[in-house]
Amino acid sequence: MEEPNEYLNQFIQHLKETIAFNESEEELIVSCLEIKYLKKKESVLEPGEVSNHMRYIAKGSMRVYHLDENTQEQTLQLGVENWWVNDLYSYLSERPSRMFIQAIESAVLVQISKSKLEILFVKVPQLSNFFRLKMQKAYVVLQERTMENLSLDSFEKYEKFRKDHRNLEQRFPQYIIASYLGMTPEFLSYLRKKHSS
């Protein structure tokens, strides 16, 4: 197993791309972090649980999905290294989640509880700016995705996915990519063949 400090350092560098803080603030942030190791297919959140952590992916790949009324998996979010993964609705509303957050590959998360983050917002105010920017970006992405689902046909959605996320197609099984794009694996396979010919 890798050294936990490697992941803590990675997380701190990730923060420093957006905000600046001094050594004592860094120590305070690190003291509030938890590292969570997940096996392939293990979940960090399931329906009925309240999401009480912000989660940064230090290693591996994750997805957020729910089961529809026909128990079909609907993938809402994908994530790889240096991305964040969460059920923000549950986190912000403190209501039980309807989502699964699952490791697709074995994964390492750096997470911070909501209660500790609230304390840090007071002691390291620039951290609240970091998360404000993250929340804004998440909202914009959600809005874009909603509009794409309404306005683009299947092939256009697949093309845009390939263009925007070149490295994701190799990291996730076809059925998960298909679920994320709102199509069947068979139809995605047809689009891929059409694309390559």
Side-chain angles (χ1 to χ4, degrees), residues 62-74:
M62 306 285 298
R63 72 160 170 159
V64 180
Y65 72 97
H66 80 104
L67 299 176
D68 67 16
E69 61 277 5
N70 302 315
T71 67
Q72 294 293 310
E73 293 178 3
Q74 304 290 330

Side-chain angles (χ1 to χ4, degrees), residues 54 86 88 91-92 117 121 128-141:
M54 291 299 281
N86 205 353
L88 279 179
Y91 181 87
L92 294 170
L117 195 52
F121 285 163
S128 66
N129 193 43
F130 176 87
F131 281 100
R132 179 181 60 80
L133 293 169
K134 284 281 162 213
M135 297 279 185
Q136 287 174 350
K137 188 175 179 189
Y139 180 77
V140 168
V141 168

Side-chain angles (χ1 to χ4, degrees), residues 101-112:
I101 301 180
Q102 180 191 51
I104 300 306
E105 305 162 341
S106 60
V108 181
L109 302 179
V110 178
Q111 59 181 30
I112 184 165

